[in-house]
Amino acid sequence: MPGGLVLRRGISICALCLCIACIPGSRANAQSAAATTQDATIAPGENLIVDGVPPIPASLADTAGRYSSYRGATLVDWHPLRRELLIATRFGDTPQLHLVKTPGGARQQLTFFADAVANGTFHPNGGDYIVFSKDIGGGEWFQLYRYDVATGDVTLLTDGQSRNLRGPWSSGGDQIAYMSTRRTGKDTDLWVMNPADPKSDRSLTELPGGGWQPQDWSPDDKKILLTEEISINETYLWLVDTTTGAKTELTPRHAKEKIFYGDAQFSKDGKGVYVTTDKESEFQRLAYLDLATKQPKYLTSKIAWDVEAFDLTRDGKRIAFATDEEGVSVLHVMDTATDKEISLPKLPAGVIGALRWHKNNHDLGFSLNNARSPGDCYSLDVTTGKVEQWTNSETAVKTDAFPEAELVRWKSFDGKMISGFLYKPAAKFTGKRPVMVVIHGGPEGQSQPTFLGRANFYLNEMGIALIVPNVRGSTGYGKTFTLLDNGFKRDDTYKDIDALFDWTASRSDLDADRVAVTGGSYGGHMTLAVSAFYSDRVRCSVDIVGMSNLVTFLEHTEAYRRDLRRVEYGDERDPKMREYLEKIAPMNNIEKIKKPMFVIAGKNDPRVPVSESQQIADALKKQGTPVWLLIAKDEGHGYRKKSNQDFQFYATVQFLREYLLK
């Protein structure tokens, strides 16, 4: 996804743009229209709760607004019969589905909703309709819909109340598998449906917990391949009988080694499964699992990096996969008969966001973005080596001079080497530059050097350097590193940022006396923790949907995700763990937060309840610490509507001017 940070095995967080999971766009600034000539300020919309935020000059929209005017495109699907792409991009207030019929062709908008539509798949047998999912107001209670291409009619396929996660089409192309919380509100059961006939909807098997996801149908459609995620390092594979719903365990439940299995697809002959796994390895390798012997054959052992995505051709003869090599994507295509890689032409450098083969078995579609491109869709013909760019996303500000990321490393308190990316301000700014540290969410995620979006304003117009760390617990550096922050080791991640402050102080070009810290989701929690325990090292902070107390967070996050989060953060029902989590909670160390803070939240957030933001803001206000609070009534876990993103951005610029640059 475009916007600054791509979090593998998690949500996309554009903390640099100071929003979460957005697809950027280039609509003219909506907020400037709210400015009146009488008061010359930008008025917040009625959907925004604003407390402590001073009036924002309308002139800011004329300068910073250009940096919020851009769009990116992501690949969604190929048309099954024609060489046409279904993409997601934004012309209005939210991303919607569009059709592109030729490389570089016009983007024909298909869906028109107030809420984002960023996913979907064509009916494989003819492409006469598209199945997509959408929520309302960021609440993540997704519903499945059918969009009929000929008429433009949209039909609700699910019950309109439960949470439904779209899964794969059957090999025959007449059924779709999906997960639904319809039965209990928290357990995600496996359902199947013919979308052309919603009455065919049926529950296939009941499943406990919220970590289940259908991956693929067997070639004969008699089995569905299912993953059960317990944690970031523990997943199991199951086979479900599509007639009876009976499920059979494919991977051992009580193995000595905890193993993660990611994306998985059946081989063309149905005798095996291609899957990414960290079994017997620090990294996620691509493997072939023989269904008869249950033994894996590792296909990418020579690559000491994670395989982050893959896709198998319809005929099963080629498999494409992308590796994450210190934050940058590298594309590979392998011949499945020989397990040898095919030579590929040089591709633009960047981060790949999607991989999808066309049914013709030789056109590979993918999304890619980098520091100077907000994200576009490409195709590669592996038989001719021809690369074509299907979209040309616009930006109001020329991106040629936008800085590239510089990989930097520093030693933490225990000798561990931590890495991140440094973005230096424009050369016109001299002397030691103020710094903004941007911490990714997850925490099972990774900051990658993608398009910074609005954050380029901080670099080019405000002279603020950006440091984007991958603290312990991040993915992409091996599973041992990913597990270094679990349970009672949580506060070691805070110390990684303290060590970053030491590194900053050692630089002649960075001003360690003018440092701001920000982040979204878990990055918001880190922001709060650093603001409490290292208050003397920061000037101010911007907390975006962060957890102010991991105990209250675990008690109030939606039930379908609670057990998954307990594995990462620790089980608050255990007395010793509860005592530890309460001890390190920023909310319980509120008196230590002495520097100004901007708190941002969405009222409908199912992941980090708005109460986590409200309680920290109320406590700061009570003790007299300067605090600004912004809550959007029509958003959830981060802002997706451009008008809300813009106001958040302008308020953040004003906040940094007031508390970081002075």
Side-chain angles (χ1 to χ4, degrees):
M1 297 278 288
L5 306 178
V6 176
L7 303 186
R8 195 171 60 81
R9 294 191 239 168
I11 63 171
S12 296
I13 298 186
C14 323
L16 288 176
C17 297
L18 301 186
C19 59
I20 295 184
C22 73
I23 294 181
S26 62
R27 191 173 71 103
N29 170 38
Q31 292 293 347
S32 61
T36 67
T37 56
Q38 185 177 14
D39 56 19
T41 61
I42 301 173
E46 293 183 357
N47 61 310
L48 299 178
I49 300 171
V50 179
D51 185 6
V53 181
I56 299 172
S59 59
L60 184 56
D62 298 328
T63 54
R66 295 176 61 238
Y67 285 83
S68 70
S69 295
Y70 63 95
R71 90 175 89 249
T74 56
L75 171 66
V76 174
D77 198 11
W78 283 102
H79 192 284
L81 302 182
R82 299 188 290 271
R83 198 169 179 268
E84 299 174 357
L85 279 186
L86 185 66
I87 69 165
T89 190
R90 187 180 65 70
F91 280 79
D93 205 31
T94 56
Q96 300 292 322
L97 296 180
H98 295 68
L99 186 66
V100 183
K101 295 186 177 181
T102 59
R107 291 155 286 192
Q108 176 190 348
Q109 188 165 343
L110 303 181
T111 60
F112 297 81
F113 291 97
D115 293 292
V117 182
N119 70 88
T121 52
F122 277 106
H123 177 211
N125 300 338
D128 50 325
Y129 62 84
I130 297 165
V131 175
F132 67 90
S133 65
K134 183 186 73 69
D135 70 351
I136 296 176
E140 300 186 18
W141 294 96
F142 298 104
Q143 304 301 319
L144 303 189
Y145 298 84
R146 185 185 71 223
Y147 172 89
D148 291 295
V149 174
T151 64
D153 292 340
V154 175
T155 303
L156 175 65
L157 298 176
T158 44
D159 65 351
Q161 297 177 341
S162 58
R163 172 180 164 89
N164 303 276
L165 302 178
R166 184 177 53 82
W169 284 96
S170 61
S171 299
D174 57 349
Q175 294 185 87
I176 197 165
Y178 71 98
M179 308 306 298
S180 179
T181 63
R182 196 175 314 177
R183 178 172 57 90
T184 65
K186 64 176 183 178
D187 298 310
T188 49
D189 298 333
L190 178 62
W191 290 64
V192 294
M193 175 200 304
N194 178 353
D197 177 18
K199 293 181 180 178
S200 66
D201 193 25
R202 65 188 177 96
S203 174
L204 183 58
T205 188
E206 295 181 355
L207 301 165
W212 301 87
Q213 182 62 34
Q215 296 287 340
D216 198 14
W217 296 64
S218 61
D220 60 7
D221 282 337
K222 293 183 178 180
K223 304 286 184 183
I224 291 176
L225 181 61
L226 195 67
T227 52
E228 177 193 9
E229 183 177 353
I230 305 299
S231 69
I232 191 66
N233 70 317
E234 185 179 2
T235 310
Y236 300 98
L237 296 177
W238 295 81
L239 293 175
V240 179
D241 188 296
T242 56
T243 300
T244 66
K247 67 181 191 298
T248 304
E249 196 170 63
L250 185 56
T251 53
R253 190 74 178 183
H254 302 291
K256 292 181 180 179
E257 177 192 17
K258 289 186 177 180
I259 300 166
F260 185 89
Y261 295 95
D263 295 341
Q265 286 183 257
F266 279 100
S267 60
K268 178 63 178 177
D269 59 12
K271 295 181 179 180
V273 168
Y274 290 98
V275 64
T276 57
T277 179
D278 62 7
K279 184 176 182 179
E280 301 173 321
S281 172
E282 275 290 310
F283 293 94
Q284 291 279 316
R285 294 183 289 184
L286 181 63
Y288 174 80
L289 181 63
D290 187 291
L291 294 180
T293 66
K294 306 294 193 301
Q295 294 302 307
K297 180 173 81 169
Y298 302 112
L299 306 176
T300 59
S301 295
K302 294 181 180 180
I303 303 174
W305 298 101
D306 282 337
V307 174
E308 55 185 356
F310 77 89
D311 194 33
L312 187 68
T313 54
R314 184 80 170 183
D315 63 10
K317 294 181 179 180
R318 298 187 181 103
I319 190 165
F321 60 95
T323 53
D324 168 12
E325 305 193 7
E326 208 144 31
V328 178
S329 297
V330 178
L331 182 64
H332 307 258
V333 175
M334 180 179 288
D335 185 305
T336 57
T338 64
D339 296 339
K340 293 182 178 180
E341 289 197 33
I342 299 169
S343 178
L344 301 178
K346 185 176 177 60
L347 300 174
V351 175
I352 292 174
L355 279 177
R356 183 81 173 185
W357 287 104
H358 191 280
K359 271 192 173 182
N360 64 21
N361 299 308
H362 60 82
D363 274 315
L364 176 65
F366 58 95
S367 305
L368 184 142
N369 80 91
N370 54 42
R372 294 176 179 171
S373 169
D376 279 303
C377 300
Y378 296 80
S379 68
L380 165 64
D381 187 328
V382 296
T383 58
T384 66
K386 185 177 182 180
V387 178
E388 293 179 288
Q389 185 171 343
W390 285 70
T391 62
N392 294 278
S393 296
E394 305 88 346
T395 59
V397 180
K398 297 297 182 183
T399 65
D400 298 352
F402 283 4
E404 298 283 355
E406 175 189 343
L407 180 64
V408 295
R409 295 182 174 88
W410 61 93
K411 186 178 291 186
S412 194
F413 70 98
D414 58 354
K416 293 281 189 305
M417 292 303 297
I418 308 298
S419 66
F421 296 99
L422 168 65
Y423 296 86
K424 295 180 181 179
K428 65 183 178 182
F429 295 101
T430 59
K432 288 191 172 186
R433 303 315 311 158
V435 173
M436 182 155 66
V437 177
V438 186
I439 308 171
H440 72 66
E444 310 98 331
Q446 180 188 18
S447 299
Q448 295 179 275
T450 57
F451 191 64
L452 301 186
R454 294 168 176 84
N456 282 294
F457 182 81
Y458 309 139
L459 293 162
N460 295 346
E461 309 297 338
M462 300 177 74
I464 301 172
L466 302 175
I467 303 177
V468 188
N470 280 313
V471 296
R472 67 190 68 206
S474 301
T475 55
Y477 305 93
K479 62 185 177 185
T480 298
F481 189 82
T482 300
L483 298 176
L484 287 178
D485 65 339
N486 282 15
F488 291 101
K489 297 178 285 187
R490 178 62 44 201
D491 56 332
D492 286 353
T493 60
Y494 314 158
K495 297 174 186 176
D496 288 343
I497 301 298
D498 186 41
L500 172 58
F501 294 151
D502 290 337
W503 178 86
T504 302
S506 72
R507 299 271 302 205
S508 61
D509 55 345
L510 303 177
D511 189 350
D513 292 327
R514 289 189 294 168
V515 175
V517 62
T518 185
S521 193
Y522 177 72
H525 168 76
M526 286 281 290
T527 297
L528 293 171
V530 169
S531 299
F533 301 120
Y534 307 108
S535 180
D536 60 327
R537 310 204 72 174
V538 301
R539 279 280 189 93
C540 59
S541 58
V542 181
D543 158 41
I544 307 164
V545 299
M547 305 91 98
S548 55
N549 184 330
L550 292 176
V551 171
T552 55
F553 156 71
L554 289 167
E555 290 176 339
H556 296 108
T557 191
E558 283 292 347
Y560 60 78
R561 62 191 310 275
R562 193 169 295 146
D563 286 340
L564 292 171
R565 295 295 78 202
R566 281 171 172 154
V567 176
E568 168 66 34
Y569 297 118
D571 193 332
E572 84 287 359
R573 297 168 299 183
D574 176 79
K576 290 186 177 179
M577 179 56 68
R578 188 182 189 93
E579 180 183 7
Y580 169 72
L581 294 178
E582 293 282 15
K583 179 182 178 181
I584 66 170
M587 188 64 203
N588 295 335
N589 292 273
I590 194 71
E591 74 285 351
K592 298 177 183 176
I593 303 179
K594 303 180 185 299
K595 304 298 175 59
M597 182 179 292
F598 186 11
V599 179
I600 298 160
K603 187 177 181 181
N604 303 323
D605 193 339
R607 303 180 183 222
V608 180
V610 68
S611 55
E612 290 294 306
S613 297
Q614 188 72 61
Q615 66 185 6
I616 200 84
D618 289 346
L620 290 173
K621 188 175 182 180
K622 183 177 180 181
Q623 73 179 21
T625 301
V627 59
W628 298 11
L629 177 65
L630 175 64
I631 299 175
K633 299 177 186 176
D634 56 347
E635 300 277 14
H637 199 58
Y639 295 178
R640 293 178 68 88
K641 296 180 173 66
K642 185 176 184 295
S643 55
N644 295 336
Q645 293 173 359
D646 284 347
F647 188 86
Q648 176 185 342
F649 173 50
Y650 300 147
T652 302
V653 170
Q654 191 78 349
F655 181 82
L656 294 173
R657 284 177 172 175
E658 178 70 22
Y659 295 112
L660 179 64
L661 299 188
K662 285 185 178 180

